[in-house]
Amino acid sequence: MDHYLEGIRLFNAGEYWHAHEQWEICWLASAQPEAMFYKGIIQAAAALEKWKRGQPRGMRLNYVKSRPKLAAFSPWMRGLHVAALITAMDRFVLNGGPPAPVPRITLDPPTAAALAAHIRSLEAASRHV
């Protein structure tokens, strides 16, 4: 769960490459159908990483691979609002980036609470270093 939550934290912070790496750990450890969910969010993160690097074609190509995987799990999977992510990604990719808002992951209340606890633990750990 820590790798999953860390991926969400990183994605929402705009650190798409690092989010991808965290979710890859989850993907490799999971079986279908959950593995396909991880692959979908990994490819969404890769699409946004391509956008960050100024590669709009790469963004579109990665999202074309991601979208059907995400759609298979809409509206919710593992506390993640997949339908909202698809809507945000559709808008962002269609516009080629801004002025559309940069996609963020939204969570159900229990998963949002787990993410908040995860962030607090990271902050506490950094204070003890």
Side-chain angles (χ1 to χ4, degrees):
M1 185 71 164
D2 284 348
H3 293 291
Y4 176 62
L5 293 173
E6 182 62 5
I8 293 168
R9 184 189 74 78
L10 291 163
F11 185 98
N12 284 346
E15 297 295 330
Y16 308 113
W17 177 256
H18 297 296
H20 162 282
E21 290 180 329
Q22 291 297 310
W23 291 330
E24 193 168 283
I25 295 166
C26 301
W27 170 62
L28 292 171
S30 63
Q32 294 300 345
E34 193 171 36
M36 186 169 52
F37 165 72
Y38 287 119
K39 187 88 169 196
I41 58 176
I42 287 167
Q43 289 169 331
L48 293 174
E49 182 63 26
K50 292 293 186 180
W51 162 73
K52 244 175 95 171
R53 294 179 183 198
Q55 301 170 357
R57 183 174 183 274
M59 175 181 66
R60 287 188 305 276
L61 291 174
N62 274 285
Y63 186 54
V64 163
K65 293 185 282 186
S66 169
R67 194 182 194 290
K69 293 175 182 75
L70 294 175
F73 295 97
S74 187
W76 292 90
M77 177 65 174
R78 296 217 52 208
L80 189 152
H81 196 311
V82 178
L85 179 60
I86 291 169
T87 298
M89 289 291 298
D90 284 352
R91 185 177 306 122
F92 194 78
V93 173
L94 179 66
N95 283 301
V102 177
R104 291 181 51 84
I105 290 173
T106 54
L107 303 169
D108 65 12
T111 310
L115 177 61
H118 172 74
I119 292 168
R120 284 192 302 276
S121 72
L122 292 175
E123 291 167 348
S126 72
R127 285 192 297 271
H128 291 105
V129 173

